[in-house]
Amino acid sequence: MANRRDPRGNNVLPFTPRRRASIPPILRLSPEYDGMELLYANDQHPDTLFSIKILAWARREDGDTVAVVPWLKELVSATDLADPLNGRWEGYRLPDSDYLFRDAPPHKVQELDAAVEFFGRPGGDGPIQEIPDTIGTHAVFTEDQFETLSLTEVVSWRLYADGTAKAMVADEEAVTQTPILPGDDCLCMAQDEPDFRYFFQHGIANRLKDRDPEALAAIAMLSTRS
């Protein structure tokens, strides 16, 4: 999910995205370790940019290298972000700087080139890669239509041969050792749980934990779309 940055430094929740009918599958992921951000805007706030922490860079089957972020219920590429207010991806930025760019960083392109060449194109339908979640993503679960919420930290993201990515969270009853690391036997797929609803980055998750009125109002709005 996104934090919106305005001149007052306030943050709000994002809108529901529209997706393209056909999206090229992901072949390989490279985690973003330098804190780069994705920028996003819409027509209702022409002077405001939304800032989203990038989880990873993805090499897609069409040859493009794009940033990917957890967005509502799935992992979404920058070019596929959209909302009902004619939203669009605006580019990327380095943290704590005014440097903006639209192409994936060359070092990430080279890394993904080498990874695809080394590992080849995936076959079958099993997992092919697992990367840690480094941006504090939380999965939101509710079994009573948002009357109560459970927020669980995402440990990792597991990429499958069909190009889909699943968020992995810990099954507390299956934990046998700590710390819990990617690949641990106690991990399960968040999106496959019947009570799963959305993903939030840590800023919004912390506001929900603190019962922030604006964040709770946004959850109430999202609950009508579930």
Side-chain angles (χ1 to χ4, degrees), residues 79-121:
T79 52
D80 295 314
L81 291 180
D83 68 33
L85 302 177
N86 192 27
R88 64 269 178 191
W89 163 66
E90 293 288 350
Y92 308 115
R93 71 183 291 266
L94 291 175
D96 302 318
S97 79
D98 295 324
Y99 179 64
L100 307 179
F101 55 103
R102 288 187 64 85
D103 294 327
H107 66 285
K108 288 297 183 182
V109 175
Q110 293 167 11
E111 177 186 341
L112 288 164
D113 282 342
V116 171
E117 181 178 357
F118 181 82
F119 290 102
R121 291 180 176 270

Side-chain angles (χ1 to χ4, degrees), residues 83-189:
D83 68 33
L85 302 177
N86 192 27
R88 64 269 178 191
W89 163 66
E90 293 288 350
Y92 308 115
R93 71 183 291 266
L94 291 175
D96 302 318
S97 79
D98 295 324
Y99 179 64
L100 307 179
F101 55 103
R102 288 187 64 85
D103 294 327
H107 66 285
K108 288 297 183 182
V109 175
Q110 293 167 11
E111 177 186 341
L112 288 164
D113 282 342
V116 171
E117 181 178 357
F118 181 82
F119 290 102
R121 291 180 176 270
D125 56 5
I128 58 173
Q129 188 182 11
E130 189 166 349
I131 66 169
D133 184 284
T134 58
I135 58 176
T137 306
H138 284 61
V140 176
F141 300 90
T142 180
E143 57 183 14
D144 52 15
Q145 297 301 312
F146 292 91
E147 291 295 325
T148 59
L149 300 176
S150 173
L151 287 88
T152 303
E153 293 183 24
V154 174
V155 174
S156 60
W157 292 83
R158 190 170 292 174
L159 179 65
Y160 285 79
D162 64 358
T164 59
K166 298 289 188 176
M168 308 303 295
V169 297
D171 177 354
E172 296 298 333
E173 296 183 356
V175 174
T176 59
Q177 59 186 4
T178 56
I180 300 169
L181 302 174
D184 197 296
D185 290 340
C186 73
L187 296 179
C188 58
M189 301 177 190

